[in-house]
Amino acid sequence: MALQQESVFGQEGGGVQGDTVVHHPIVLTPKMVLSWLPRSATPAQQDSAIQAHFKPSEIRWSNRPDTLHLPGHDKGHNMLDVNLPQYYREGFFSKDSLFHPELTGGRYGVAGDPIPYTVQHDDVITTLLLLLFVLATIAFSNTRHFVVRQTKNFFSTNREGLTEITETAVEIRFQTFLAFLNCLLLAILFYFYTLNFIGETFLLDSQYHLIAIFLGLSVAYFLIKALLYTMVNNVFFDSKKNRQWMKSFLYITSIEGALLFPLVVIWTYFDISIQNAVIYVIVVFSIVKILQLFKCFLIFFRQNVVKLQIILYFCTLEIIPMLLFWGVLVFTANSLKINF
């Protein structure tokens, strides 16, 4: 850069002792050059003045050693060196986009509000309901005569206590499938109830795990209840009545699943109110319990004079297990919920 000398005359006391010239090197800056020009100078004139006073010079790189490393350690390694060991490349910032320009650094702009979760836009539940509907339709088309015959003979029983309907293996599998469908629909319904009344965030990797847990509890509930029926009936009644009751119990469970399926579809896609859904569930459960009570009376207590036994029997093996099942579902949902 250009340097300019400045002369300073020193004075001491009241007179001039002598002329002393002091040389002060002044570093010329672009601001100083532009200050010499008039205010009306054009950008082209300003550029010409800068080029006249400043000439490009040779770049001299520093030859001092690199000190950007820990004391006692060697200087840093070049990450582009192919012979560099892998442990040099790994570190806390090894996957940071600022450390690796070749990695994607994210999106620009402000993120928008995420779309809230809705069941009607859930592809997994939609696929599951569609698959269940297709399977139930195929199974009903193959066993519709059995369903009609079973419905006609449901309200009657013979003197020996045996059912007049002889089920085949296909018909038994059909009723078992409807019973499993009932368990799955109960799990989905309680999942809807959980989202509306308990919470939406859980200590699970996916909300489908919550449905699977409810499904397992529902299957365990029906299996335990069937086991309790078998144990109690074998003590107080003969095996023929016990076998007839288990067939009726399986049939009533199948009816419950068929009645709950429309509610699940309507609640999923037509945004039914919670109050109407609860009323529908109460009506279905009431119909199922009345059918069970009626069939229990025809099979076990029709010949008995004391009618109080059927109330104790039904409350012990039907009402109390149902209330316990509801409590277990609510306790499980509250235990898995994330409390903020």
Side-chain angles (χ1 to χ4, degrees):
M1 293 185 179
L3 300 178
Q4 185 177 357
Q5 294 180 351
E6 181 180 2
S7 298
V8 177
F9 298 92
Q11 296 182 355
E12 184 177 358
V16 177
Q17 299 295 333
D19 296 339
T20 305
V21 179
V22 181
H23 302 282
H24 296 281
I26 300 178
V27 179
L28 194 61
T29 61
K31 181 179 179 181
M32 296 176 59
V33 175
L34 295 178
S35 64
W36 299 339
L37 300 177
R39 294 182 178 272
S40 60
T42 62
Q45 294 174 346
Q46 295 177 358
D47 183 68
S48 299
I50 293 296
Q51 294 183 10
H53 290 81
F54 296 94
K55 302 299 180 181
S57 59
E58 181 182 359
I59 300 177
R60 299 179 181 273
W61 300 103
S62 175
N63 54 3
R64 294 186 177 182
D66 183 14
T67 59
L68 296 178
H69 57 271
L70 295 177
H73 293 263
D74 298 334
K75 64 179 182 179
H77 299 274
N78 186 8
M79 292 300 174
L80 299 179
D81 187 6
V82 295
N83 297 323
L84 191 65
Q86 184 65 24
Y87 57 82
Y88 279 106
R89 304 176 186 273
E90 296 178 353
F92 183 80
F93 300 101
S94 59
K95 296 183 179 180
D96 193 347
S97 60
L98 300 178
F99 189 74
H100 291 279
E102 68 275 7
L103 299 178
T104 303
R107 299 179 179 179
Y108 295 99
V110 180
D113 296 332
I115 299 176
Y117 171 79
T118 56
V119 179
Q120 60 184 355
H121 295 122
D122 196 321
D123 297 335
V124 176
I125 294 182
T126 301
T127 304
L128 182 61
L129 293 178
L130 182 60
L131 180 62
L132 291 177
F133 176 76
V134 172
L135 293 177
T137 303
I138 295 175
F140 178 77
S141 62
N142 295 330
T143 58
R144 60 182 181 273
H145 299 292
F146 164 75
V147 175
V148 174
R149 187 173 70 252
Q150 185 86 347
T151 304
K152 290 181 179 179
N153 293 272
F154 180 78
F155 296 96
S156 63
T157 182
N158 53 15
R159 295 180 181 179
E160 293 78 12
L162 294 175
T163 180
E164 297 179 356
I165 302 177
T166 302
E167 293 88 351
T168 62
V170 177
E171 294 169 348
I172 293 296
R173 287 196 297 267
F174 169 67
Q175 292 188 84
T176 305
F177 168 74
L178 290 182
F180 176 78
L181 174 63
N182 182 30
C183 297
L184 181 58
L185 293 177
L186 287 177
I188 295 177
L189 285 176
F190 193 78
Y191 172 71
F192 295 165
Y193 173 84
T194 302
L195 294 180
N196 287 275
F197 294 100
I198 297 180
E200 298 181 354
T201 55
F202 301 91
L203 300 172
L204 299 172
D205 297 334
S206 174
Q207 67 269 21
Y208 307 120
H209 296 170
L210 187 63
I211 299 178
I213 293 175
F214 292 156
L215 175 59
L217 294 176
S218 301
V219 173
Y221 163 70
F222 283 100
L223 292 179
I224 293 175
K225 191 165 66 170
L227 180 61
L228 291 177
Y229 273 125
T230 303
M231 294 173 57
V232 174
N233 293 339
N234 285 333
V235 174
F236 296 99
F237 308 102
D238 54 24
S239 60
K240 295 180 180 180
K241 291 184 178 181
N242 186 19
R243 186 163 55 251
Q244 185 180 4
W245 168 250
M246 292 307 299
K247 292 180 180 180
S248 301
F249 174 74
L250 184 60
Y251 177 73
I252 295 174
T253 304
S254 304
I255 293 177
E256 183 180 0
L259 293 177
L260 290 178
F261 186 78
L263 174 61
V264 175
V265 175
I266 294 174
W267 198 346
T268 303
Y269 300 106
F270 296 98
D271 197 16
I272 188 175
S273 63
I274 304 298
Q275 293 77 10
N276 294 334
V278 172
I279 293 174
Y280 185 93
V281 172
I282 293 176
V283 171
V284 171
F285 283 175
S286 300
I287 294 175
V288 170
K289 300 310 174 186
I290 291 174
L291 291 177
Q292 288 181 343
L293 181 62
F294 177 77
K295 197 63 178 180
C296 180
F297 172 77
L298 290 180
I299 296 176
F300 300 119
F301 300 98
R302 185 176 57 174
Q303 305 297 332
N304 295 341
V305 180
V306 181
K307 306 304 179 184
L308 183 60
Q309 296 177 359
I310 187 173
I311 299 178
L312 297 176
Y313 175 86
F314 192 76
C315 292
T316 303
L317 298 180
E318 191 62 38
I319 302 301
I320 294 179
M322 183 181 66
L323 297 178
L324 291 177
F325 173 61
W326 175 261
V328 170
L329 289 177
V330 174
F331 175 78
T332 303
N334 287 320
S335 299
L336 297 176
K337 181 184 67 172
I338 297 178
N339 297 317
F340 294 98

